[in-house]
Every structure is written in structure tokens, then in C-alpha cells.
Amino acid sequence: MHKATESASTSRRPACSAGDKSLVVENLRKEYTRGKPVLKNINLTVAGQCTTAIIGPSGTGKSTLLRCINRLIEPTSGRILVSGQDICTLRGSDLRAARRRIGMVFQEYNLVERLSVMENVLCGRLGYISPWRAWLRKFPQEDIERAYDLLDMVGLTEFARARADELSGGQRQRVGIARAVMQQPHILLADEPTSSLDPKTSVEIMELLREVASVNDIPVLVNIHDVTLGRRFADRVVGMSKGDVVFDGVPGDLTDEHLKLIYGGEDWLA
Ligand SMILES: Nc1ncnc2c1ncn2[C@@H]1O[C@H](COP(=O)(O)OP(=O)(O)OP(=O)(O)O)[C@@H](O)[C@H]1O
Ligand SMILES: [Mg+2]
């Protein structure tokens, strides 16, 4: 057995709840250039309430994996099941409906700067309301009430009317998380959500993502370069190297040997 595969298969998996909101990735391959796979053969099953940290060196395919899952890019082959539905076969309105069930949190927040915090959170409902309502920004009362609840959850009630460009990075990321949860997603993906934030704020954002996973009973996948932070907050760590999963297990099982396998070399471990 290949050493990397052996590591992935022998590590213990965390016991996360097996709710109906789940993600299954089967034999996922992605080639941007024919014959040169960035993702080789990714297999991953994540159930509700589980926060998974995806770690690995720059260029190893972490963002490519998340972009395949939310169908921002087309996988070359393989299957991606969100709550049991294979999203790779969907087109048109079915695909749009499936993408509503996948929340995304970005490193650079991706807020609409000139809109208020409340309007940014409500943007999470855009895929659900009619185009004329969206154009007039007329959201149903229940959406507005839910947005207030979410602003309360992320600690930004008093900023509801503030413009997004008046907020700090940490506050913006809280809005980004509230907007994603507003979609009522079945899974939440976060691509380096703490990379632009100071250490204390990064901890708060990871705590919030964990809370989102447990309160909403959804799997949360976080691409993260900070291994210590990932280990501290995740129920599970997936280590990638050169387009393959080479570690998949609970944080306590991740040894220096695994880190060498994932990142290569050892000087940096000192
Ligand atoms: N749109 C694209 N077209 C062609 N190649 C791409 C594209 N996007 C990414 N790649 C290549 O795919 C590989 C994986 O990139 P990816 O962004 O997924 O890595 P990553 O693990 O997220 O890296 P980082 O930690 O730096 O964010 C890299 O070699 C990158 O150059
Ligand atoms: Mg990336």
C-alpha cells in the first residue's frame, strides 16, 4: 500500500452526527490541463455537526477541492453528493437550487461594500426570492427577522445599518458567515477564512464556524494554513499533499510524521 494511502486509511475518524445533511466526495479528479491532475482521487465523507480542517501546502489543491464542491469549477470526474444528491450531474435551475444549499465563506469576505450589514446578510436569500423582489430589495418579513437573529448570533446587532466598508476585517467575516448561514445551507465551505485576521479574531471566527456546524447540524469544511488553529477547533483534520488526501483523522492523531508527509521536509517543524 502507498504510504500516503496507508496514513489516510489508518487514522481514526471523529464521531460526528450522521444527520441528513452530509457531503460525500467520491473519486474526485480535477485537471485544469488535460493529463495533469490537480486533484487525483479524493474521497471524503463528512456528516452534520463536523468541523473539518483541510490542511496542506500552497498549490496542493485545497481551494480547487472547495470550488469543485460548490461547482464554481467542473470536476473532471468523480461524484459529489450533497445530502445524497449528486450535484455533478445537475444543470440549469436544478444546479442553482443545489448551489443554494452550499454556503461559502471567503478569505476576503466578498461583501458588497456599499450595502449595509443587514442587506449583505439578506443577500444570502437572493437565490430564494423572485427577481423583482430581489431588484426592489423587498425581502419577506421572516427573512428580515432571521437576518436579525443571525446578526445577534455573530454579535453585530448594533451594526445592522452600518455600511459594510465601515467594518473591521473580523466584523466583515462575521457578516460573511451570517450571509452564508442565511442561505440555510446543507454544508458550509470556508476557504482560509482567518488568513487576513489577527490571532485573537481568528480564534473567534473559528469558534463561530464550530458553532454554526453544531447549531445548524451541518458539516463545515475549512481550508486553513494555521495548523495549530485547525487542530484546536476541528473535529477532524484532512491533510492533502500533491492532490491526494494523505491524512484523515482526529486532530490528536496528527503527528509530526504526518506533517512531514503533508508539507514535506522537516526544518520548518523546529
Ligand atoms: N483556474 C485555474 N487554471 C489553471 N490552474 C489552476 C487554476 N486554479 C488553480 N490552478 C492550479 O491548481 C493548483 C492548485 O491550486 P489551488 O488554488 O487549489 O491550491 P491551494 O492548495 O488552495 O493553494 P493555497 O494554499 O496557496 O491557497 C495550483 O498549481 C494552481 O496553479
Ligand atoms: Mg487556496
Side-chain angles (χ1 to χ4, degrees), residues 144-258:
I144 293 168
E145 282 166 18
R146 195 169 139 66
Y148 271 115
D149 286 346
L150 288 174
L151 281 180
D152 187 39
M153 181 190 85
V154 301
L156 289 179
T157 304
E158 63 191 287
F159 291 89
R161 290 171 189 276
R163 270 174 59 130
D165 57 9
E166 293 169 22
L167 302 183
S168 70
Q171 290 168 333
R172 281 170 197 227
Q173 196 55 293
R174 288 170 181 276
V175 176
I177 293 170
R179 178 184 58 189
V181 178
M182 194 70 200
Q183 278 176 243
Q184 294 184 298
H186 284 216
I187 58 170
L188 183 69
L189 311 174
D191 199 354
E192 297 186 31
T194 61
S195 293
S196 307
L197 304 175
D198 69 63
K200 179 170 174 285
T201 310
S202 298
V203 164
E204 291 166 1
I205 291 296
M206 289 301 288
E207 275 173 348
L208 186 55
L209 287 170
R210 250 188 92 87
E211 188 185 334
V212 165
S214 84
V215 169
N216 297 278
D217 194 15
I218 57 174
V220 172
L221 272 69
V222 187
N223 280 356
I224 190 161
H225 277 298
D226 185 333
V227 175
T228 309
L229 194 62
R231 270 177 147 159
R232 180 170 159 195
F233 286 99
D235 304 296
R236 173 175 174 183
V237 175
V238 168
M240 289 179 61
S241 176
K242 297 177 186 152
D244 271 322
V245 171
V246 296
F247 176 86
D248 186 351
V250 294
D253 283 355
L254 184 69
T255 63
D256 282 357
E257 285 307 309
H258 291 119

Side-chain angles (χ1 to χ4, degrees), residues 66-97:
L66 295 196
R67 283 192 219 122
C68 283
I69 295 170
N70 71 9
R71 288 289 306 271
L72 279 174
I73 55 174
E74 281 297 307
T76 303
S77 60
R79 297 206 311 159
I80 298 169
L81 309 179
V82 174
S83 302
Q85 183 181 39
D86 185 355
I87 60 159
C88 296
T89 58
L90 301 177
R91 299 282 178 272
S93 58
D94 289 340
L95 177 58
R96 282 195 294 281

Side-chain angles (χ1 to χ4, degrees), residues 32 38 56-65 67 191-192 223 225:
Y32 290 106
V38 167
S58 215
T60 202
K62 303 179 299 298
S63 296
T64 299
L65 173 61
R67 283 192 219 122
D191 199 354
E192 297 186 31
N223 280 356
H225 277 298

